Amino acid sequence: MKFGIQMYGAGRALKEKKEAFWAEAAGMGYRWIEPCLGQEPSAGVWTVEELEEYMPVMQAYGLSVVSCHILSGALDGWAPRLKALTGKYGIRQYVISCPEPIDGAYQAKQLEDCRELARQLSGFGAQLLAHNGMEVSCRKMAGKSAYEQFLESCAEEVGAQADVGWLLYGGEDPEAFLWRNKGRIRSLHYKDMKLEEGGYAEAPVGQGALDMAACFQFARAMEIPQFIDQDSSQDFLRDLREAGKKLSGLTGHRERTKSRLCILDVETGELEELHKYDKVVEAPNWTKDGGSLVFNSEGLIYRFDIATGQERVIDSGACNNCNNDHVLSPDQKEIVVSHSEEGWQSKAYILPAEGGSPRCVTDKSPSFVHGWSPDGKELAYCAFRDYGKGQEVDIYTISVLGGGEKRLTAGAGFNDGPEYAPDGKSIWFNSTRTGRMQVFRMGADGSGPVQMTDDDRNNWFPHVSPDGEKVVYISYSGTGLESEEHLPNMQVELWRMDSDGGNRRKVLEFFGGQGSLNVNSWAPDSRRLAMVVYELEHK
C-alpha cells in the first residue's frame, strides 16, 4: 500500500539532507508527503511558497502530496489558497487541529467556522479533516472524548484524521474508536506511546504499545491515507525506515478474518452463502460435473460437496503449504497446485485430483500457476525471474511433463493471472504495461496482446466462462494501492464483460480481494461463479 510521512518532525533531517531526503524517503517505499502549512515558516512548518518550491523535487522522486495540515490560528482567507493548491497539485484533504471546547462545551461559532471552511473546500473537491491532539483526546465530555464530541457535532461536514497515538494516550482503544467512527475517518496518523511509570509517553512509531496491525487493518479496509509521525524520534530517518518496514509487513495481514464460501449468479448479482468459516479459505475451482468446489486453506487443498456441505482434505503429500493458485486438469483427473517450501518461493506441482504423490513441474521459483491448456498439454503461470536488472514478472508456459519454460511477456510491466480461453487459442492475463493494472488478451504463443480494459481502477484475474462468451475480473480502486498489489480484506468490485470487451458492467461490490477469485471458478453453466467473501472481526 501507499504510505506517507507527516513532515512536522522532519525539519532537521530535511534541512541537513536537502534533496537527498526525498531520495531516501522514496527509497524506503513512501509515496506521500504531508506537510504542515502556516503563515510563518519554522522547523516543522512550511509556507505555501515553500511547498511550491519543494513540489518539483518531490515529484521527481515519485512523491506526491494528498493532504496538508493547516497550522494557523485563524482560518479566514485560507480557502482561495487551498483551492489553488488543489487545482494545481490535486491535494484533496486539508487538516486542522481539532478546536478545544470553551467553558466545557463547543460553541456554535466554533462549529460553524469549521463547517463553513468545509463547505468552501467541498466546493472545489477537497475535504476538511480535524486532527486530535493531546488535550481533546484526554478531555471527557458526557463520557466521550472532546474529539469524538466535536466530530459528532459537525454533522458529517468535517471528517477526521485520527491520531491513534493520542487516542491511546487519552485512554481510548484506538481500534474500537476507529470502527465506531468509520464513517467520519478519512485519514490515519500513526503516533506511538510507550507505557512508563505514571502513564504513557511518546515513542517512535513501532516501538511502543500501539497495536499497529489493528489500526492498519482498519485503514486498509477503508482504503484511507496513512501517515507516519516520528516527532519523538532522535534519528528521524532511521526510525522512519523501521516504521515503514512494519507497515509494509502488514499488507497481507489477515488476523481475525472469517470466510464466506459463496455462489454468485452473474446475471442477477444474487449471492448465496454455502458455508462460513472461522479461518481464511481461498480460491475455489468448480469441478466440471458441477457438484464440487476445490479450495485451499491453511496450506492444504479441500474438496467441498455443494449438495451436502461436506468437505474433505485432498492428500497433497509434501505439498502442505499450498497458496491460492491451483487449477484442475481439463479431464479432471489431476490438479496442479502452487506450493512453497519456504517463504513465497512457490513452484507448480501436479498430483491426482483425488489425492496422491505430487511431482514438481517448474524447477524455478517463484512460480504461481493459473491456467491449464484445454488440450491438457501445458500450464500457464506467473513467474518472478531475475534478468540482471532485478526481478521481472512475466507470463510463462511449460509442458505438464516439465522441462524448459517459455516466456510469453518480456520487459513490459508486471504480468499475472494467465488463463486459457476454452478454445485454447488465446490467454487472458492482467498487466501494468500501460500504467494501472488492466486486463489483456494475447495469442496462446504470446503474440498480439490486446488491452481489454482501460479505466482508472486496478483490474485483476480475468476468468473466461466455459462457453467462451463472458469474462469476469476483480477490480480494486486506483488510489491507495500500488498497481502491482492485490491485497486481502478491502472493498472491491466484481465486473463482467463479453469476451470481445463489450457490455462491461459491475456485478457486485464486496469485502474481499486476495483469495476471493484468484483462479477460474465458473460453474459449467457459464452463469454462476464460486467466490469467497471475507469478514473482519474487530472491536
Side-chain angles (χ1 to χ4, degrees), residues 125-144:
Q127 299 174 319
L128 181 67
L129 309 184
H131 177 273
N132 55 308
M134 180 178 67
E135 290 296 330
V136 295
S137 299
C138 292
R139 183 176 296 191
K140 303 303 178 186
M141 300 171 62
K144 298 180 179 180

Side-chain angles (χ1 to χ4, degrees), residues 48-162:
V48 171
E49 290 71 27
E50 284 179 309
L51 171 61
E52 300 250 28
E53 177 186 340
Y54 285 132
M55 268 296 192
V57 186
M58 289 191 292
Q59 290 174 336
Y61 287 101
L63 301 166
S64 60
V65 176
V66 295
S67 63
C68 295
H69 275 246
I70 308 301
L71 298 184
S72 175
L75 299 177
D76 296 342
W78 272 97
R81 306 171 84 182
L82 303 185
K83 181 178 181 180
L85 292 176
T86 295
K88 189 171 183 180
Y89 300 114
I91 302 171
R92 290 291 181 265
Q93 295 181 344
Y94 297 97
V95 185
I96 61 171
S97 296
C98 178
E100 296 179 22
I102 300 173
D103 297 328
Y106 281 109
Q107 306 301 308
K109 187 176 188 310
Q110 285 179 292
L111 299 173
E112 182 54 30
D113 285 350
C114 292
R115 287 174 174 173
E116 175 56 28
L117 180 56
R119 288 191 284 267
Q120 292 180 48
L121 298 187
S122 177
F124 53 82
Q127 299 174 319
L128 181 67
L129 309 184
H131 177 273
N132 55 308
M134 180 178 67
E135 290 296 330
V136 295
S137 299
C138 292
R139 183 176 296 191
K140 303 303 178 186
M141 300 171 62
K144 298 180 179 180
S145 68
Y147 182 51
E148 192 163 9
Q149 286 285 1
F150 172 79
L151 296 175
E152 291 180 359
S153 299
C154 287
E156 310 297 333
E157 289 187 279
V158 180
Q161 183 187 72

Side-chain angles (χ1 to χ4, degrees), residues 184-253:
R184 303 184 177 101
I185 296 172
R186 315 289 167 74
S187 177
L188 196 65
H189 187 134
Y190 288 97
K191 191 188 296 290
D192 210 342
M193 298 287 164
K194 59 184 176 181
L195 189 58
E196 296 182 338
E197 187 175 348
Y200 283 111
E202 283 192 57
V205 176
Q207 300 178 37
L210 180 69
D211 187 343
M212 289 184 69
C215 296
F216 174 82
Q217 288 225 80
F218 171 84
R220 181 184 58 193
M222 300 295 111
E223 200 168 351
I224 57 175
Q226 304 176 69
F227 297 96
I228 294 290
D229 174 349
Q230 294 288 25
D231 288 355
S232 65
S233 173
Q234 298 302 306
D235 188 329
F236 187 89
L237 286 169
R238 178 199 65 197
D239 291 338
L240 192 66
R241 180 177 292 105
E242 291 306 308
K245 288 180 181 178
K246 286 182 180 292
L247 278 183
S248 295
L250 293 171
T251 54
H253 188 76

Side-chain angles (χ1 to χ4, degrees), residues 261-265 270-272 274 286 306 528-530:
L261 182 62
C262 298
I263 291 176
L264 174 72
D265 186 315
E270 181 181 354
L271 196 66
E272 174 191 358
L274 297 178
W286 206 316
I306 297 173
R528 294 172 297 158
L529 286 173

Side-chain angles (χ1 to χ4, degrees), residues 311-354:
E311 66 184 54
R312 64 176 178 85
V313 175
I314 296 175
D315 176 18
S316 53
C319 291
N320 57 7
N321 191 28
C322 300
N323 55 54
N324 49 39
D325 297 319
H326 42 76
V327 185
L328 288 159
S329 63
D331 63 9
Q332 306 288 280
K333 293 180 179 180
E334 295 180 304
I335 183 172
V336 58
V337 301
S338 301
H339 158 76
S340 304
E341 291 186 4
E342 62 176 305
W344 65 296
Q345 300 302 311
S346 175
K347 294 181 181 179
Y349 296 79
I350 292 178
L351 60 138
E354 294 301 316

Side-chain angles (χ1 to χ4, degrees), residues 332-394:
Q332 306 288 280
K333 293 180 179 180
E334 295 180 304
I335 183 172
V336 58
V337 301
S338 301
H339 158 76
S340 304
E341 291 186 4
E342 62 176 305
W344 65 296
Q345 300 302 311
S346 175
K347 294 181 181 179
Y349 296 79
I350 292 178
L351 60 138
E354 294 301 316
S357 298
R359 59 179 176 86
C360 186
V361 182
T362 57
D363 293 332
K364 298 178 181 178
S365 65
S367 300
F368 301 91
V369 67
H370 284 264
W372 202 317
S373 64
D375 63 10
K377 293 182 178 180
E378 67 180 18
L379 306 174
Y381 54 100
C382 159
F384 294 66
R385 300 290 184 262
D386 193 335
Y387 287 94
K389 298 180 180 179
Q391 285 192 326
E392 296 181 17
V393 187
D394 285 299

